Amino acid sequence: MKNNKIDIDRIDLDKMKEKTTEQPGLLPYAHQSGSAIIKPEDKGKITGRAVAAMHSQTDMQMSQIYQQMSLLAEQAKMIQKRVEVSERIYQSSMSFEPLINHRYFLYEKEDGTDFLSMVGPEEWGRAKKFIFIAEIKLLADHTWEILREGAQEADASKD
């Protein structure tokens, strides 16, 4: 067996002191051979994941905004249709004053003029000589809501 004595004179204590610390948890590297491996993070991976997450989140938000815009566009079309029907009704002949939240019926005569009635298309019998356009209700803003469209109007809207 060899003599494995440590020569204290050859040990540089100042250099050994540089390799030790009183607070090993603050070192940016493992301070013992059994310590967990500490690797610097790949900043490209971190940035890539952050950018991917950001795109995912903003895409989701843009989709929500698009859905909201579609809903608003559909509501605007409905309002425009109410205005068009309201103008047609106010140009038609009325023999009574319509009341808010009451149902009425719009018809077109053979000569192409419109008239407003309180009588529904099912109540006329066989003698009617006009076309049922729509069942409508007067709203508080004096526009008309279409509750039901006549067959001819519904067919025209499909084209």
Side-chain angles (χ1 to χ4, degrees):
M1 202 182 211
K2 280 187 171 182
N3 193 356
N4 289 338
K5 291 187 178 182
I6 299 173
D7 186 7
I8 297 181
D9 294 331
R10 293 182 64 203
I11 296 175
D12 187 357
L13 294 176
D14 289 330
K15 191 162 188 138
M16 290 284 283
K17 192 170 186 177
E18 287 177 9
K19 294 181 180 182
T20 61
T21 181
E22 292 177 6
Q23 298 176 333
L26 299 179
L27 292 175
Y29 52 86
H31 66 283
Q32 297 178 354
S33 61
S35 295
I37 298 173
I38 299 173
K39 291 187 205 173
E41 282 289 330
D42 182 357
K43 291 193 181 204
K45 279 185 184 177
I46 294 171
T47 303
R49 283 192 296 250
V51 168
M54 181 262 314
H55 279 291
S56 175
Q57 186 66 24
T58 54
D59 287 348
M60 183 182 69
Q61 290 172 338
M62 289 298 284
S63 175
Q64 289 173 340
I65 290 170
Y66 177 77
Q67 290 172 352
Q68 291 169 351
M69 287 175 18
S70 297
L71 177 63
L72 289 172
E74 189 63 34
Q75 289 173 340
K77 286 179 187 176
M78 289 172 52
I79 290 170
Q80 182 63 36
K81 187 166 186 169
R82 271 187 21 219
V83 168
E84 291 169 3
V85 167
S86 298
E87 287 175 345
R88 183 172 179 179
I89 292 168
Y90 286 125
Q91 291 173 359
S92 69
S93 70
M94 288 184 225
S95 57
F96 57 91
E97 180 181 352
L99 300 175
I100 294 172
N101 287 327
H102 283 74
R103 294 173 182 238
Y104 300 100
F105 303 90
L106 181 64
Y107 297 96
E108 183 179 324
K109 296 180 186 176
E110 288 178 335
D111 64 0
T113 60
D114 295 335
F115 73 97
L116 193 64
S117 174
M118 291 187 241
V119 179
E122 299 82 17
E123 300 168 358
W124 284 102
R126 296 183 201 182
K128 71 175 186 175
K129 298 198 180 206
F130 35 83
I131 301 167
F132 169 64
I133 304 298
E135 180 179 353
I136 49 182
K137 178 170 80 170
L138 181 60
L139 301 177
D141 63 357
H142 287 273
T143 61
W144 295 81
E145 177 184 4
I146 299 172
L147 303 174
R148 173 175 55 137
E149 292 188 69
Q152 190 175 32
E153 285 288 309
D155 291 342
S157 66
K158 289 179 187 174
D159 293 336

